Each structure stands twice: as structure tokens, then as C-alpha cells.
Amino acid sequence: MIQTAQHTLLDYQRDGFAVVEQVYAPAEIRALLAVIEQAGAQGGSFRRTADVFAIRNLLAELPALRPLIWNERFKELLHELLPAPQHLVKAIYFDKPAGSNWVVAWHQDLMVAVDRRAELPGFGPWNVRPEGVNVQPPRQYLDGICTLRIHLDACDAGNGALRVVPGSHRHGVIPAADIADFTPHAQVCPVPAGAVMLMKPLTLHASHRSLDERPRRVIHLEFSSQRLPAGLRWREDAAPAS
């Protein structure tokens, strides 16, 4: 059983990110990777290049991951962060292979996955991708989302750890022209294998290319306790594994 240190949760609220260590044991990480490595790479949810392997709609594509992810430590952490029910908003797997030149520019996670398009005040822009419909919701929904990034490898500046701007989430949606005003305050967020990085979607973050031969494999999950209006649903919403 874990009990997240109070200062970790306070750091998360203040800075927009924090790290909770020892959520997954080495054997649990191996089990997660075994399921992922057996997956094919067909269809709109999969992207595989020399620099990245990504799976969107992860738990729909690989449902065997669900009981492995929802171990007791993860469930306790999720309940500390959000009141029930916790709706799954987004589930993605990212693999930055050794020596990858994949760079992610400074951004906030503004788009959420929904089941359909609906004309609602404050919702937009919309886009439709092979994996489904995405939209930028009003800020109140973004503020209510908690991201949990499960690190399957130790991660630091050498293999593409996220760079984050502490406190940037408190400024709401930051116009692209203003992002450069925030980035001088950025810091690297190293994360050990088996840990979970907590992050708010409005936290400015970026990722440089890998500088060494270590992989950086991450399961990225977003949760919210809010319901969407007018019958709109989080596309990946499903009950947690028991």
C-alpha cells in the first residue's frame, strides 16, 4: 500500500507536476511491456517510425493492459488525486527509441478525445483523426484533468525526459506567441522506472531528442471526474479494472 507524501501532492498543485516513485515493481513493468511488445501495428491508432512508436486508444487496442495498470498502488494514487468516478479521458503509449531524433515542441495538452462532434458553447476547435474525434474544451474541463505518466524506463535529460515550466498551468491557455516568455523558467523532470509522473494538461512541457542509447517508454493516461455536457462522452471512458 502506498500513501503519497503530502508534499508531493502539494508540489503537483503548485507546480503542475510531481513524481510518485515505486508505483510499479520490475516484474509488473516486464508484464506491461510483454503485452505491448506482442501488439501489431495496424490501423489508425498505431504510428511506427524510426523515431517513435505510439499507440492511441491504448486500452481499447490492448485491453489486457488494464488489470496490469490498475494495481493497488495505482488505484490508491488515482483516488488521492480525483474523487470517484474517475473517467478515462485519454490513453496513449509512447516509445522514444534509443537515439531518437523525435522532438516535441513547447505545448499544453489542450485537446481531449470525445465520442462525437456536437456544437456546444466554448468547445472548439474540433478535429477528426483516424482514431476519432478530438476537441479543445473550455478551461474548466482542462483544469479538472489529471495526467498520470507511467514510466517503464528510467528517464532523464539523456533519453528525452520532459522539460516543464513550473506553475505555467495557472495561466490558463497560453497563446503561442507568449510561450517563449515562460520557457526560461523550464526544468527537466527526471523519472525513475516504475514511477508515475503527475501532470496537469495546462502545464507547458516539451521533449528534446534522445542523446544516448536508452529507450523512453511511457504509458500516458488522463483522467477526469467531470461529465461532459449534452450527452457528449469521453471517448475512452470505461470503468476501471476491478
Side-chain angles (χ1 to χ4, degrees), residues 18 27 34 99 114 156 175:
V114 294
D156 56 31

Side-chain angles (χ1 to χ4, degrees), residues 5 7 16 22 30 51 61 66 73 82 84 91 95 114 126 142 147 153 177 181 193 212 215 218-219 224:
H7 68 80
Q22 298 179 343
R30 290 193 294 271
D51 287 327
E61 295 289 347
R66 183 177 291 275
R73 296 178 295 282
L82 291 169
D95 177 4
V114 294
W126 296 79
L142 295 171
T147 299
D153 302 290
D181 296 335
D212 58 35
V218 174
I219 294 173
S224 174

Side-chain angles (χ1 to χ4, degrees), residues 102-165:
W102 173 37
V103 176
V104 178
W106 287 106
H107 69 287
Q108 298 168 296
D109 291 336
L110 302 179
M111 304 296 284
V112 300
V114 294
D115 62 337
R116 59 187 171 85
R117 180 164 180 156
E119 297 305 322
L120 295 169
F123 282 77
W126 296 79
N127 65 42
V128 180
R129 295 181 175 178
E131 67 272 13
V133 179
N134 301 279
V135 64
Q136 181 176 323
R139 178 178 174 177
Q140 68 189 77
Y141 294 98
L142 295 171
D143 283 337
I145 292 172
C146 179
T147 299
L148 292 88
R149 292 170 55 91
I150 302 167
H151 280 254
L152 306 178
D153 302 290
C155 183
D156 56 31
N159 63 336
L162 286 188
R163 299 182 68 212
V164 289
V165 179

Side-chain angles (χ1 to χ4, degrees), residues 14-96:
R14 181 194 65 216
D15 297 333
F17 66 95
V19 175
V20 181
E21 299 189 11
Q22 298 179 343
V23 179
Y24 295 91
E28 292 173 309
I29 295 173
R30 290 193 294 271
L32 289 164
L33 287 171
V35 173
I36 293 167
E37 289 165 358
Q38 292 169 8
Q42 302 298 318
S45 293
F46 291 82
R47 178 188 173 198
R48 189 190 292 272
T49 69
D51 287 327
V52 63
F53 174 38
I55 309 172
R56 295 184 179 273
N57 296 340
L58 179 64
L59 299 185
E61 295 289 347
L62 301 177
L65 287 175
R66 183 177 291 275
L68 301 176
I69 291 172
W70 266 263
N71 67 12
E72 289 303 315
R73 296 178 295 282
F74 181 83
K75 287 188 283 188
E76 290 167 9
L77 175 59
L78 193 54
H79 283 293
E80 286 184 275
L81 293 165
L82 291 169
Q86 298 103 11
H87 306 287
L88 180 62
V89 174
K90 189 178 295 183
I92 310 175
Y93 170 72
F94 292 116
D95 177 4
K96 179 176 277 195

